[in-house]
Amino acid sequence: MREGCGDARRRAELLSALSGADAWPGLPADERARRAAVLRDIRQRIERDGPRRPCADSGRGRLFMPFAALKGFEELIEGEARDAGRQ
C-alpha cells in the first residue's frame, strides 16, 4: 500500500492513542483480556492497512430513500416548518 504524505504520521498518532489493558484496573481479568484482544486487532489493522479515511459517496442519499415513500411525509415536514415560522 502506498502511503500519502501524512499517512505515516496519522498511523503513529492512532497507534499511540490506543491505550493498553492497564487503563482498566478495576475490570475483571476476562474483560481486560477481551479488551486487550480488541485493541490488538485494531493495532494490527492500522499497521496493515493504514488509517481509514472518510470518502464522499455520491450515492449516499439513497440511504434515505425509504422516507420518500411515506405518503404525506413532505407535507408534514412543510406544515411543521410553517408552524415553527409562526411562533
Side-chain angles (χ1 to χ4, degrees):
M1 177 181 102
R2 288 186 51 186
E3 288 189 358
C5 147
D7 285 350
R9 183 173 8 138
R10 180 72 179 135
R11 178 183 295 182
E13 289 171 1
L14 287 170
L15 290 172
S16 68
L18 291 172
S19 60
D22 297 334
W24 309 293
L27 292 176
D30 59 336
E31 180 62 18
R32 285 172 48 117
R34 187 189 71 77
R35 290 184 185 197
V38 169
L39 288 173
R40 183 192 65 238
D41 293 345
I42 292 171
R43 282 188 192 94
Q44 288 174 350
R45 199 236 3 115
I46 291 171
E47 289 170 354
R48 183 185 66 236
D49 301 332
R52 291 188 179 167
R53 301 210 178 274
C55 60
D57 182 5
S58 61
R60 187 170 186 274
R62 287 181 282 166
L63 294 171
F64 304 100
M65 288 302 294
F67 294 106
L70 298 173
K71 288 190 178 224
F73 183 71
E74 289 296 323
E75 292 80 13
L76 176 68
I77 297 297
E78 290 170 5
E80 291 293 324
R82 278 193 304 270
D83 291 345
R86 289 185 197 148
Q87 296 175 355

